[in-house]
Amino acid sequence: MTPARTDHDSRRQDVSEAVWRVLAEHGFGGLTMRAVAAALNSSTGLVTHYFAGKRELIAHALDILEVRTAQRPRQTAPAPGLAALRTQVLNILPLTPDAAAMNRIWVGSWDVALSDPDLFAAQTLRYERVRAGLRTSIEDAQRLGELPDGDSGRLATTVLAFTHGLVVQALFDPDRLPAATQTRLVDDFLAAFTR
Amino acid sequence: MTPARTDHDSRRQDVSEAVWRVLAEHGFGGLTMRAVAAALNSSTGLVTHYFAGKRELIAHALDILEVRTAQRPRQTAPAPGLAALRTQVLNILPLTPDAAAMNRIWVGSWDVALSDPDLFAAQTLRYERVRAGLRTSIEDAQRLGELPDGDSGRLATTVLAFTHGLVVQALFDPDRLPAATQTRLVDDFLAAFTR
């Protein structure tokens, strides 16, 4: 009934897809109005219609990243406690091509986020939330006797550190760290803490 | 005896310092000819005398990063095996302001390196070398009976993953993760594997 609106929305969706493709291939360093226009096979004039400049482009990129991360396919934990903790870690790792693309963009966003106070604060909060989720599973595992008692907050920091660092190594060495190897490393890691 | 050459070298040193300051504050996303000129309090003309463009500027930045990383102050391991492994990990972490600045630049370089085949290959090799160093200490520790037998290569990957991930969390949350807390996390982590 409102074709103009529909066209606009559809075009907006195309622009978002183009931003995502540029990021996945060239990172934040390659995210320019010109690159998005090229990915859209259009003029930079069209892109400036959506984004006033590079800063707006980056803000939009981080919005897409947040939405796609929230909507990504995830395994459901088979049980609370240790099994849930394992699932949470596996759901972060680059075990599929889509998860690798998303992680590549997250890792790339750290350069931008470390230099922008608002993005920095958002990232700090984000990791607090992720750690809080891990901590809940750790405390469940402690209650269930699957993990020894101890400071659950510190262990959550350790688990997230291991997970993020494995993301980075897997992105830089995908042949050496296919999904099965990453999963094995997670199981060895968790086994060390259950002993 | 060759004042022109000395002036040139000294100016080159000033330019390198300016590149470092821009990186530490604004990351690779903010590393532009204009920003380096501003840090030097000079014209972009001077900067273009040293760098043809952004790509040369990034290559120089990574050279400085490599040199400064190799020359950074490091603790000497008090003994081979587990003590050496602990020292290697602590020598990577952002335990001092200088180490934090260097890590901030390394983390920022991942965005660029993930999109440039040459830089990507260099980074992959670099992590292989770091893992090989960790692996030597792990195998020493196994021989000394400080660590249980097991795949030393996989454990080296796990140790480096934990270390890199802790770098990222400490950069985004320096108040929550001061040097003493990072050190405590390293000791807890290593204790889990020695049990």
Side-chain angles (χ1 to χ4, degrees), chain A residues 91-137:
Chain A
N91 277 335
I92 293 174
L93 293 176
L95 302 181
T96 65
D98 279 355
M102 194 169 291
N103 271 296
R104 185 263 169 272
I105 299 175
W106 271 115
V107 170
S109 78
W110 289 337
D111 181 58
V112 173
L114 283 166
S115 296
D116 180 302
D118 292 343
L119 300 179
F120 185 99
Q123 198 75 301
T124 303
L125 264 180
R126 178 179 176 79
Y127 293 143
E128 266 182 42
R129 281 200 305 273
V130 178
R131 281 193 303 266
L134 297 171
R135 190 174 177 166
T136 299
S137 295

Side-chain angles (χ1 to χ4, degrees), chain B:
Chain B
M1 298 299 176
T2 52
R5 175 70 193 279
T6 305
D7 280 2
H8 180 82
D9 286 355
S10 147
R11 179 48 68 96
R12 219 186 149 70
Q13 184 60 33
D14 289 348
V15 172
S16 284
E17 280 294 334
V19 169
W20 188 260
R21 286 200 304 278
V22 170
L23 276 179
E25 194 171 348
H26 304 294
F28 284 82
L31 183 64
T32 59
M33 309 290 263
R34 188 187 296 258
V36 174
L40 277 166
N41 220 353
S42 81
S43 68
T44 50
L46 175 85
V47 181
T48 55
H49 180 71
Y50 290 92
F51 309 107
K54 173 101 184 198
R55 208 176 179 294
E56 287 74 17
L57 197 53
I58 289 175
H60 180 70
L62 292 170
D63 284 346
I64 311 175
L65 187 53
E66 193 77 44
V67 169
R68 293 206 177 197
T69 300
Q71 294 174 346
R72 76 193 191 280
R74 267 175 285 195
Q75 299 297 318
T76 310
L82 198 61
L85 184 64
R86 177 177 188 271
T87 302
Q88 284 167 310
V89 170
L90 295 179
N91 278 335
I92 294 174
L93 294 176
L95 302 181
T96 65
D98 279 355
M102 193 168 294
N103 271 296
R104 185 263 169 272
I105 299 175
W106 270 115
V107 169
S109 78
W110 289 336
D111 180 57
V112 173
L114 283 166
S115 295
D116 180 303
D118 292 343
L119 301 179
F120 184 99
Q123 198 76 300
T124 303
L125 265 180
R126 181 181 173 76
Y127 292 143
E128 266 181 42
R129 284 199 304 275
V130 178
R131 281 193 302 265
L134 297 171
R135 191 173 176 168
T136 299
S137 296
I138 289 168
E139 290 174 358
D140 286 344
Q142 289 173 333
R143 265 190 295 275
L144 293 164
E146 296 171 330
L147 280 174
D149 285 343
D151 187 316
S152 58
R154 277 216 306 276
L155 186 51
T157 301
T158 296
V159 172
L160 185 57
F162 165 74
T163 308
H164 275 161
L166 187 52
V167 166
V168 173
Q169 280 187 82
L171 290 179
F172 277 110
D173 213 340
D175 294 338
R176 214 183 55 87
L177 289 164
T181 307
Q182 293 180 54
T183 305
R184 167 110 200 227
L185 287 165
V186 170
D187 287 329
D188 287 355
F189 171 82
L190 291 176
F193 289 89
T194 54
R195 272 200 291 263

Side-chain angles (χ1 to χ4, degrees), chain A residues 2-181:
Chain A
T2 53
R5 176 66 192 280
T6 305
D7 280 1
H8 180 79
D9 286 354
S10 144
R11 179 48 69 98
R12 216 185 154 73
Q13 183 60 32
D14 290 347
V15 172
S16 283
E17 280 295 334
V19 169
W20 188 259
R21 285 199 306 278
V22 169
L23 276 180
E25 194 171 347
H26 304 294
F28 284 82
L31 183 64
T32 60
M33 308 291 265
R34 189 186 297 258
V36 173
L40 277 168
N41 221 352
S42 80
S43 67
T44 48
L46 175 83
V47 181
T48 54
H49 179 72
Y50 290 93
F51 309 109
K54 174 102 183 192
R55 210 180 176 294
E56 286 75 16
L57 196 53
I58 289 175
H60 180 69
L62 292 170
D63 283 348
I64 310 175
L65 187 53
E66 193 76 45
V67 168
R68 293 206 179 196
T69 299
Q71 294 174 347
R72 75 192 191 281
R74 267 175 286 194
Q75 299 296 319
T76 310
L82 198 60
L85 184 64
R86 179 179 187 269
T87 302
Q88 282 167 311
V89 171
L90 295 179
N91 277 335
I92 293 174
L93 293 176
L95 302 181
T96 65
D98 279 355
M102 194 169 291
N103 271 296
R104 185 263 169 272
I105 299 175
W106 271 115
V107 170
S109 78
W110 289 337
D111 181 58
V112 173
L114 283 166
S115 296
D116 180 302
D118 292 343
L119 300 179
F120 185 99
Q123 198 75 301
T124 303
L125 264 180
R126 178 179 176 79
Y127 293 143
E128 266 182 42
R129 281 200 305 273
V130 178
R131 281 193 303 266
L134 297 171
R135 190 174 177 166
T136 299
S137 295
I138 289 168
E139 290 175 358
D140 286 343
Q142 289 173 332
R143 263 191 297 273
L144 292 164
E146 296 171 328
L147 280 175
D149 285 342
D151 188 316
S152 57
R154 278 216 305 278
L155 186 51
T157 301
T158 297
V159 172
L160 185 58
F162 165 74
T163 308
H164 275 161
L166 187 52
V167 166
V168 173
Q169 280 188 82
L171 290 180
F172 277 109
D173 213 340
D175 294 339
R176 215 183 56 85
L177 289 164
T181 307

